[in-house]
Amino acid sequence: QVQFVESGGGLVQPGGSLGLSCAASGTIFSTYDIGWYRQAPGKERERVAVITNGGLKAYAASVKGRFTISRDNAKRTVYLQMNSLKPEDTAVYYCNFVGTELGSWGQGAQVAVSS
């Protein structure tokens, strides 16, 4: 299975920005669609953004216009730029493939939005 390693989380004030990265092992990275997911305390994991293997992007309504997903297939890395952060964006963020179970969940990146 493909392993994912997320990085770039941290503490930020409301209205601030953070960038997350997720590096993948293996050689099948470019074949599949990839999503960013998040799980807040006491809530189920939800997908917030997806980028297809062709570069098409889609976002959850809660983050549309504030988050931007991108990928670099040569580096086997997917990114999430988060702007205008809100306290409700506080969660552990993960990346993984969409539509296949060939990826393993990583440790995630903790994002905390608080004043």
Side-chain angles (χ1 to χ4, degrees), residues 94-107:
Y94 306 86
C95 73
N96 206 334
F97 291 133
V98 176
T100 176
E101 298 195 3
L102 292 176
S104 297
W105 294 101
Q107 294 298 307

Side-chain angles (χ1 to χ4, degrees), residues 34-36 49-51 57 59 67-71 78-80:
I34 294 181
W36 277 98
V50 60
I51 184 166
K57 305 173 185 180
Y59 300 92
F67 290 12
T68 302
I69 189 172
S70 60
R71 66 190 294 169
V78 60
Y79 305 94
L80 187 68

Side-chain angles (χ1 to χ4, degrees), residues 16-91:
S17 297
L18 273 178
L20 303 180
S21 299
C22 178
S25 65
T27 59
I28 64 171
F29 178 86
S30 62
T31 303
Y32 295 99
D33 303 346
I34 294 181
W36 277 98
Y37 302 76
R38 69 184 181 188
Q39 187 167 21
K43 295 187 176 181
E44 293 188 354
R45 185 153 43 200
E46 62 171 342
R47 189 169 68 210
V48 297
V50 60
I51 184 166
T52 69
N53 58 358
L56 298 177
K57 305 173 185 180
Y59 300 92
S62 58
V63 307
K64 195 170 185 179
R66 300 187 297 121
F67 290 12
T68 302
I69 189 172
S70 60
R71 66 190 294 169
D72 185 332
N73 289 334
K75 295 182 178 180
R76 298 199 296 265
T77 300
V78 60
Y79 305 94
L80 187 68
Q81 178 62 39
M82 304 182 292
N83 299 327
S84 302
L85 283 161
K86 305 175 180 180
E88 52 263 42
D89 295 318
T90 295

